Every structure is written in structure tokens, then in C-alpha cells.
């Protein structure tokens, strides 16, 4: 039986751009007096999600309780980064009541769950639950696998081969590890899209899973926190494509950081980002941009051709600089072509 003294940890997983940071922002602003700590892991060297969350820091989750792990995928750097970070949090005089972990969109959650069995932290924390976010509109359109029909045709032709794409494996592993699935961007998907996404996920899930529709991360924290799942003791029920492997790689994906001059035309930039997704298979783009004549920085986030942007806070004393992180499958990320596409 799990000790009541253990600090609960919620692992929030989900594909690129599914809304993990938006969900955590909502949980931070609706903590109901709980002291929170947040660990953010991103793919690529430039942390954007951590900066977004730090802008929402408050008494329940001060900035020092928001920790970025940016030196590699969290499931591959357990010994080097995750364990020491958790030890540091647990050693603080004022400990958090609940810890939220936002994994990279490319992370496999199961290796992270295995880390909770490490002697250094095993007696102190427990996995309260794994929440998998799935972009309902994207899943309904089958975007987690670039060409599902071709994959099925190849598998039918040769049953001895595994033809699943890297994207579909990541998606399936995240669903298989989950206690609850949140179908995000519900407003964009509509009832038909939600129904289609539920069918896809139910077909992939190894067991029946609760699936809830969410828009802009708005959900009652009581629904997803306090599950008491003790997921680290329930690994057998959470199958992975990588079970039995000693290690795994993320060489299927690549990222590039592009520095831009001050932006004068926001619409032109968003069109360029959408065009990169369409013509160069860029899966995800995110970053902060300096806009000429505007004292506030512009946050831009894109999932495929869907680009969103908003002014989030003043630059203040920080240097006005524009950077975009772009992520795609290995072989699709061509820095020269991306620079040309952005007009730089």
C-alpha cells in the first residue's frame, strides 16, 4: 500500500502541441492553496514552455519551483538530470504538495515511470497518475501517422516487419501508459472530430480509458489530480513498443533554433510557418518574437499548419530577440531550407 507520506506526482504526456503547457498553466492558477512544483522537459536546446509557465508563477508555485530539464529527453536522462532534480526538490525546507511533470512531446512515459523505483526517491514520491493529452482534431485526421493507409498496406504484405512510423509509436506508447486521456482543442475538433478521435484512441488503448474533452486546458483539477494510481507499481498494465529494450533513441527527430530579426509583419510570418509545415513537414514551431513598435513579446506556437500567436508580456529589461524552435522528423529538418522559407 502506498504510504500517505509520499508526495504525489502527475506525469503529463502528449504529442507535440497537444496543449500540455496550457493545461499546467490552468492547474497553476487553480491550485486551491496547494503548493506545486513543475518540471518541464523540452525537445531541443531552447526552452519555451518553461518561460511560459514562469510568467504564471505565484505564491502557490513560485518561479524557483518551475524547473526546466533541457539537456535531452527526460526518459533518456533519468540518472543525469531527473533523479538529482527530484532529490533537490525533496530536500527543500518547504516541500511541494504536488509535483507536475511536463514531458517532451517526443518522450516515452514508461521509462520515466521506471525511474520512480530508484532507491533515492522511491520512499518519498509516487506517480499519482499519467495524463495523456491528444489533439482531437489532429488525431481524428490521423496526423500522428503520416500515411496510415500505406503502413497498413505494407504490414499486410509482410507480417514479419514492423512498419509503424516513429510518430505512431510515440502516440501509442503515451496512450498505453495513461490513466486518463484529455482530448484537447475540442472547440476546433467539434463533435464529429471528438467522436472520431475517441474511436482511434479506444482502438489503440490496451484497456478502457476515461476520455474527456477539454478546451484551453480548462478542467477541474479534482478530476485529474488525486488519482492515487501508484503507476510505478502498475507497469505491466502499461505496455510499450520498447519493452525489453535496454535503451532507446530519439534519432528519428531533429530540431533547429532560428534567430530572426525584429518582425514587422506578423501575418506574413505566420503564413511562412504554415508553409514550412506544408512543404517541409515541420511538425511543431514555437518561440518568442520581437515585433517592431510593440513593447510586448509575441508568443508563437504552431502544430502543423495551425499557427497561433499572442502578446504575452512586456520585454522589460530583457533583450528584444526573436527565436523560433522548429521540430520535425530526421531528414525533414533542413536549416537552410527553413531559413529560406522564413525569408532570412
Amino acid at each position: 500500500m502506498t504510504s500517505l507520506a509520499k508526495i504525489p506526482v502527475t506525469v503529463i504526456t502528449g504529442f507535440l502541441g497537444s496543449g500540455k503547457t496550457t493545461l499546467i498553466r490552468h492547474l497553476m492558477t487553480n491550485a486551491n492553496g496547494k503548493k506545486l512544483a513543475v518540471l518541464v522537459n523540452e525537445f531541443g536546446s531552447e526552452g519555451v514552455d518553461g518561460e511560459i509557465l514562469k510568467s504564471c508563477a505565484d505564491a502557490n508555485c513560485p518561479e524557483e519551483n518551475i524547473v526546466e530539464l533541457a539537456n535531452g529527453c527526460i526518459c533518456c536522462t533519468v540518472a543525469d538530470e531527473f533523479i538529482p532534480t527530484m532529490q533537490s526538490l525533496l530536500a527543500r525546507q518547504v516541500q511541494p504538495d504536488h509535483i507536475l511533470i511536463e514531458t517532451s512531446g517526443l518522450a516515452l512515459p514508461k521509462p520515466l515511470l521506471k525511474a520512480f523505483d530508484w532507491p533515492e526517491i522511491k520512499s518519498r514520491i509516487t506517480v499519482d497518475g499519467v495524463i495523456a493529452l491528444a489533439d482531437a482534431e489532429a488525431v481524428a485526421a490521423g496526423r500522428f501517422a503520416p500515411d496510415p493507409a500505406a503502413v497498413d498496406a505494407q504490414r499486410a504484405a509482410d507480417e514479419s516487419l514492423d512498419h509503424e512510423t516513429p510518430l505512431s509509436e510515440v502516440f501509442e506508447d503515451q496512450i498505453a501508459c495513461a490513466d486518463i486521456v484529455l482530448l484537447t482543442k475540442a472547440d476546433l475538433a467539434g463533435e464529429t472530430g471528438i467522436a472520431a478521435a475517441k474511436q482511434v484512441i479506444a482502438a489503440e488503448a490496451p484497456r478502457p480509458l476515461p476520455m474527456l474533452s477539454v478546451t484551453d486546458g480548462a478542467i477541474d483539477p479534482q478530476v485529474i489530480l488525486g488519482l492515487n494510481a501508484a503507476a510505478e507499481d502498475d507497469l505491466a498494465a502499461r505496455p510499450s513498443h520498447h519493452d525489453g529494450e535496454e535503451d532507446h533513441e530519439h534519432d528519428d527527430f531533429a530540431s533547429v533554433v532560428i534567430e530572426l530579426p525584429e518582425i514587422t509583419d506578423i501575418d506574413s510570418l505566420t503564413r511562412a510557418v504554415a508553409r514550412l509545415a506544408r512543404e517541409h513537414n515541420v511538425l511543431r514551431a514555437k518561440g518568442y518574437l520581437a515585433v517592431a513598435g510593440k513593447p510586448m513579446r509575441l508568443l508563437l506556437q504552431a502544430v502543423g499548419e495551425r499557427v497561433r500567436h499572442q502578446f504575452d508580456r512586456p520585454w522589460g529589461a530583457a533583450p528584444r530577440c526573436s527565436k523560433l524552435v522548429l521540430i520535425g522528423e530526421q531528414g525533414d529538418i533542413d536549416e537552410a531550407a527553413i531559413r529560406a522559407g522564413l525569408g532570412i
Side-chain angles (χ1 to χ4, degrees), residues 89-152:
L89 279 176
L90 296 172
R92 292 184 180 182
Q93 187 171 5
V94 179
Q95 295 183 0
D97 298 317
H98 203 113
I99 299 171
L100 307 176
I101 299 178
E102 177 188 342
T103 72
S104 155
L106 303 175
L108 304 174
K110 190 167 182 178
L112 176 59
L113 297 193
K114 291 179 179 178
F116 284 78
D117 199 40
W118 281 52
E120 294 90 337
I121 61 173
K122 182 177 182 179
S123 64
R124 305 287 305 282
I125 57 177
T126 181
V127 183
D128 181 69
V130 179
I131 312 302
L133 275 60
D135 182 320
E137 185 185 39
V139 171
R143 291 188 201 137
F144 57 88
D147 193 346
V151 172
D152 289 340

Side-chain angles (χ1 to χ4, degrees), residues 63-314:
E63 188 167 329
E64 60 266 25
N65 278 20
I66 302 171
V67 182
E68 293 179 78
L69 304 178
N71 293 326
C73 175
I74 194 171
C75 58
C76 302
T77 59
V78 166
D80 295 332
E81 279 212 277
F82 174 66
I83 298 297
T85 298
M86 295 303 295
Q87 288 178 298
S88 176
L89 279 176
L90 296 172
R92 292 184 180 182
Q93 187 171 5
V94 179
Q95 295 183 0
D97 298 317
H98 203 113
I99 299 171
L100 307 176
I101 299 178
E102 177 188 342
T103 72
S104 155
L106 303 175
L108 304 174
K110 190 167 182 178
L112 176 59
L113 297 193
K114 291 179 179 178
F116 284 78
D117 199 40
W118 281 52
E120 294 90 337
I121 61 173
K122 182 177 182 179
S123 64
R124 305 287 305 282
I125 57 177
T126 181
V127 183
D128 181 69
V130 179
I131 312 302
L133 275 60
D135 182 320
E137 185 185 39
V139 171
R143 291 188 201 137
F144 57 88
D147 193 346
V151 172
D152 289 340
Q154 289 174 329
R155 184 179 293 113
D158 186 351
E159 294 182 359
S160 69
L161 298 177
D162 178 2
H163 294 290
E164 291 179 309
T165 68
L167 297 184
S168 67
E169 286 193 8
V170 172
F171 175 81
E172 290 161 13
D173 273 27
Q174 291 171 348
I175 295 300
C177 204
D179 293 291
I180 292 178
V181 176
L182 299 185
L183 297 168
T184 61
K185 320 285 177 69
D187 54 330
L188 300 176
E191 291 185 9
T192 301
I194 291 292
K198 284 184 175 180
Q199 284 188 328
V200 171
I201 291 168
E204 299 294 349
R207 61 194 181 284
L209 288 174
M211 287 184 266
L212 307 174
S213 302
V214 177
T215 297
D216 293 331
I219 188 169
D220 186 339
Q222 295 182 83
V223 175
I224 60 174
L225 303 184
L227 300 180
N228 299 313
E232 70 275 18
D233 298 328
D234 187 35
L235 296 179
R238 303 166 193 263
S240 165
H241 286 281
H242 300 270
D243 283 341
E245 294 183 7
E246 289 297 318
D247 202 355
H248 63 277
E249 300 292 338
H250 288 284
D251 292 342
D252 298 312
F253 304 95
S255 69
V256 64
V257 180
I258 304 293
E259 294 191 17
L260 300 135
E262 214 169 60
I263 306 303
T264 57
D265 187 339
I266 298 173
D267 290 339
S268 177
L269 177 67
T270 57
R271 287 194 297 271
V273 171
R275 190 164 55 250
L276 287 173
R278 183 169 59 253
E279 297 177 0
H280 296 279
N281 298 320
V282 171
L283 300 173
R284 184 84 163 96
K286 53 186 177 179
Y288 292 111
L289 304 164
V291 180
K294 301 293 185 181
M296 299 185 74
R297 67 184 186 181
L298 184 76
L299 169 63
L300 182 145
Q301 301 199 71
V303 182
E305 294 185 51
R306 194 169 67 226
V307 185
R308 291 183 172 185
H309 57 79
Q310 66 186 69
F311 289 102
D312 74 328
R313 74 179 189 186

Side-chain angles (χ1 to χ4, degrees), residues 304-332:
E305 294 185 51
R306 194 169 67 226
V307 185
R308 291 183 172 185
H309 57 79
Q310 66 186 69
F311 289 102
D312 74 328
R313 74 179 189 186
W315 285 101
R320 292 172 61 90
C321 59
S322 299
K323 288 184 179 180
L324 277 179
V325 182
L326 300 105
I327 303 170
E329 290 193 71
Q330 195 72 259
D332 289 335

